[in-house]
């Protein structure tokens, strides 16, 4: 038997586990820092890293950030990854069938989407339907995708876990990997915060874009964490009586600009600003958009510190997209005096262990049999949802390891 440890039961880690566990010669152990919780409670496990200029959002629980996604699945990074001899086309096709990725039916498009789409079209902007991994027969349109789905309608990596466990993979929860054991440039195992040592022939690090580079740096891979992208976003909106956007599926449509994506989205922070002009406004009276821009890689992750700030380009792109979003909101009937925005946040934590720099085209590091399979291996940021590409590249690694074991 070949012993394989996967660090992190999140999006990338469980995708590897699902594929690799199909090989009966692989003994798969997944070690996860967070608990195994019901997806409806996922919001309780949000944590943020350094609230400086940019709030960085992630969750720590089994399923990782897949538990709180808006459910958006846009193919991305396909051409970029080909530059590194990585073709994820096959895996994207497989995932499309497995996750039943498709736009929501008309029955699941909310009134707010219709209002915003009409206004956008009147101004000459094309709003496309967003491909989702949400089962419309179960979705109650409660607007709680980013809390964790209360109705079991939205896909999450817990489905990959179920298959991996049926195939014999073992899961340890509530235990944090703090160190990689390396001897003669070969991986030997991991050490956890409970002072347990687990030995392995192969280790796959999938602790997410912030923690993975930290573990690699501690193991002597100093190129890890030298870059960091998050695709900064804001939510901008204003007063529109009875918009009821909070009770509709988020981000069901999107406008793709060269420098930004604009998509219907709500946030409690927008209401705080709107109350300055409309003190009686409630969450039901907000009509708003998310603006997300493609990031540069100008951030760093050190063993105990994260640096990610907003620069001139970020501000310029957000300002340009805000002007368009503001015009559409005005056209839709939003009170312009009330327009307000959130602070800048980032939820696509990527490019901290990029392919071609920290890992090779098989996602192996300079340490023999030490692999990486999460958002950190993506080579740059594209400003569009990355989970489809993360799942595909991790699935590809799982298939590769299953072939060579
Ligand atoms: C609110 C929100 C909405 C989003 N919506 C979308 C969307 O609609 N579409 C999209 O494409 N993307 C979306 N994203 C981004 C997407 O969820 C992430 O890019 C993706 O899930 C990251 O996958 P990952 O494998 O890199 O990390 P994660 O899925 O975060 O997995 C990392 C795992 O490692 C665990 N871990 C961390 N440290 C350790 C340790 N030391 N030891 C053991 N385990 C550890 C964590 O608990 C976690 O389970 C969203 C993100 C957020 C926060």
């Amino acid at each position: 038997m070949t012993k394989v440890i996967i660090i992190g039961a999140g999006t990338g880690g469980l995708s590897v586990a699902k594929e690799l566990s199909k090989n009966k010669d692989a003994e798969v152990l997944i070690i996860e820092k967070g608990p195994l919780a019901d997806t409806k409670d996922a919001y309780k496990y949000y944590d943020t890293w350094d609230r400086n200029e940019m709030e960085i959002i992630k969750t720590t629980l089994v399923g990782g950030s897949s538990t709180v996604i808006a459910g958006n699945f846009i193919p991305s990074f396909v051409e970029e990854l080909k530059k590194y001899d990585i073709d994820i086309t096959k895996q994207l096709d497989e995932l499309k069938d497995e996750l039943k990725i498709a736009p929501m039916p008309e029955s699941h498009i909310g009134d707010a989407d219709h209002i915003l789409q009409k206004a956008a079209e009147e101004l000459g902007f094309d709003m496309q339907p967003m491909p989702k991994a949400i089962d419309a027969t179960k979705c109650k349109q409660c607007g709680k995708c980013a809390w964790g789905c209360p109705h079991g309608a939205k896909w999450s990596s817990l489905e990959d876990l179920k298959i991996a466990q049926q195939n014999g993979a073992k899961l340890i929860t509530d235990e944090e990997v703090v160190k990689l054991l390396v001897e003669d440039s070969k991986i030997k195992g991991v050490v956890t915060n409970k002072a347990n040592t687990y030995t392995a022939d192969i280790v796959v690090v999938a602790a997410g874009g912030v923690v993975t580079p930290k573990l690699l740096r501690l193991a002597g891979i100093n190129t890890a964490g030298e870059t960091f992208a998050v695709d900064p976003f804001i939510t901008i909106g204003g007063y529109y009586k009875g918009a009821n956007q909070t009770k509709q599926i988020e981000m069901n449509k999107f406008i793709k600009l060269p420098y930004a994506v604009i998509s219907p989205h709500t946030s409690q922070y927008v209401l705080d600003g709107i109350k300055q002009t409309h003190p009686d406004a409630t969450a039901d009276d907000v009509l708003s958009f998310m603006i997300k821009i493609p990031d540069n890689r100008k951030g760093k992750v050190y063993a105990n510190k994260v640096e990610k700030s907003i620069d001139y380009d970020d501000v310029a792109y957000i300002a340009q997209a805000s002007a368009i979003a503001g015009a559409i909101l005005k056209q839709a009937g939003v009170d312009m005096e009330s327009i307000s925005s959130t602070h800048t946040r980032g939820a696509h934590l990527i490019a901290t262990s990029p392919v071609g720099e920290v890992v090779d085209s098989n996602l192996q590091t300079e340490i023999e049999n030490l692999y990486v399979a999460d958002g950190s291996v993506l080579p740059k940021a594209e400003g569009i949802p990355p989970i489809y590409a993360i799942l595909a590249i991790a699935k590809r690694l799982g298939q590769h390891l299953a072939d060579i074991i």
Side-chain angles (χ1 to χ4, degrees), residues 39-249:
T39 45
K40 74 175 175 13
D41 295 324
Y43 70 95
K44 295 178 183 165
Y45 302 97
Y46 270 112
D47 47 45
T48 53
W49 194 284
D50 275 17
R51 276 182 194 246
N52 294 323
E53 286 182 24
M54 187 97 68
E55 182 184 345
I56 293 166
I57 315 170
K58 62 189 178 72
T59 51
T60 298
L61 77 162
V62 177
S65 295
S66 79
T67 56
V68 292
I69 52 170
N72 305 333
F73 278 75
I74 302 180
S76 54
F77 293 97
V78 181
E79 294 311 314
E80 186 63 26
L81 286 169
K82 283 184 184 160
K83 295 180 194 163
Y84 303 92
D85 280 336
I86 297 177
D87 186 354
I88 55 169
T89 321
K90 170 176 155 287
Q91 287 78 13
L92 290 174
D93 287 346
E94 290 169 359
L95 286 163
K96 189 172 183 202
D97 289 343
E98 290 167 19
L99 275 60
K100 301 185 178 53
I101 298 167
M104 299 307 289
E106 187 55 33
S107 56
H108 284 63
I109 308 294
D111 289 346
D113 287 335
H114 287 126
I115 293 166
L116 290 170
Q117 175 149 25
K118 181 168 173 287
E121 283 170 3
E122 283 165 2
L123 295 180
F125 294 102
D126 179 31
M127 261 183 130
Q128 309 173 43
M130 179 72 82
K132 296 270 185 185
I134 300 177
D135 180 348
T137 62
K138 294 184 185 161
C139 174
K140 307 274 186 254
Q141 306 185 58
C142 64
K144 291 208 178 308
C145 291
W147 296 59
C149 179
H151 305 291
K154 192 185 63 176
W155 177 90
S156 85
S157 294
L158 294 179
E159 297 190 23
D160 287 349
L161 174 66
K162 209 184 298 168
I163 296 171
Q165 287 183 315
Q166 280 164 3
N167 290 338
K170 299 275 178 283
L171 170 70
I172 295 175
T173 64
D174 304 282
E175 192 158 343
E176 178 183 4
V177 172
V178 292
K179 192 177 167 197
L180 304 174
L181 286 177
V182 182
E183 275 174 34
D184 299 329
S185 298
K186 285 190 188 154
I187 193 72
K188 295 289 170 188
V190 305
V191 180
T192 70
N193 62 335
K194 295 186 176 169
N196 289 325
T197 297
Y198 298 93
T199 58
D201 304 300
I202 293 174
V203 171
V204 178
V205 192
V210 170
V211 181
T212 287
K214 177 180 161 180
L215 288 170
L216 297 183
R217 274 182 106 99
L218 289 170
I221 304 178
N222 293 323
T223 45
E226 284 296 301
T227 54
F228 180 31
V230 303
D231 289 338
F233 74 93
I234 60 165
T235 305
I236 176 172
Y239 183 79
Y240 187 107
K241 183 76 188 153
N244 262 336
Q245 199 178 359
T246 49
K247 300 193 186 74
Q248 298 168 31
I249 298 173

Side-chain angles (χ1 to χ4, degrees), residues 166-389:
Q166 280 164 3
N167 290 338
K170 299 275 178 283
L171 170 70
I172 295 175
T173 64
D174 304 282
E175 192 158 343
E176 178 183 4
V177 172
V178 292
K179 192 177 167 197
L180 304 174
L181 286 177
V182 182
E183 275 174 34
D184 299 329
S185 298
K186 285 190 188 154
I187 193 72
K188 295 289 170 188
V190 305
V191 180
T192 70
N193 62 335
K194 295 186 176 169
N196 289 325
T197 297
Y198 298 93
T199 58
D201 304 300
I202 293 174
V203 171
V204 178
V205 192
V210 170
V211 181
T212 287
K214 177 180 161 180
L215 288 170
L216 297 183
R217 274 182 106 99
L218 289 170
I221 304 178
N222 293 323
T223 45
E226 284 296 301
T227 54
F228 180 31
V230 303
D231 289 338
F233 74 93
I234 60 165
T235 305
I236 176 172
Y239 183 79
Y240 187 107
K241 183 76 188 153
N244 262 336
Q245 199 178 359
T246 49
K247 300 193 186 74
Q248 298 168 31
I249 298 173
E250 300 264 29
M251 304 184 80
N252 239 336
K253 308 258 174 185
F254 69 105
I255 299 171
K256 176 85 182 78
L257 302 171
Y259 51 84
V261 165
I262 301 179
S263 180
H265 179 259
T266 57
S267 164
Q268 62 189 23
Y269 302 115
V270 176
L271 178 61
D272 293 345
I274 290 172
K275 277 177 175 289
Q276 290 179 14
T277 51
H278 296 267
D280 298 334
T282 70
D284 292 341
D285 303 324
V286 181
L287 196 57
S288 48
F289 279 121
M290 174 189 284
I291 290 170
K292 184 166 284 170
I293 59 165
D295 204 357
N296 54 50
R297 305 193 314 170
K298 280 188 253 162
K300 284 199 185 215
V301 178
Y302 301 99
N304 289 310
K305 195 171 81 161
V306 176
E307 284 175 1
K308 187 68 196 167
S309 54
I310 300 162
D311 70 7
Y312 177 85
D313 287 341
D314 298 333
V315 174
Y317 290 150
I318 288 174
Q320 287 175 47
S322 296
I324 292 171
I328 298 171
L329 290 169
K330 179 170 184 246
Q331 181 76 9
V334 164
D335 173 10
M336 283 306 278
E337 294 294 315
S338 69
I339 295 270
S340 179
S341 159
T342 63
H343 55 288
T344 314
R345 300 186 277 169
H348 298 169
L349 313 183
I350 57 177
T352 47
S353 313
V355 61
E357 295 168 53
V358 176
V359 295
D360 64 18
S361 57
N362 284 324
L363 308 189
Q364 188 166 203
T365 66
E366 66 194 44
I367 296 172
E368 199 179 328
N369 288 339
L370 178 65
Y371 294 83
V372 180
D374 58 22
S376 58
V377 301
L378 296 176
K380 58 180 241 199
E382 296 194 338
I384 45 180
I387 199 166
Y388 203 1

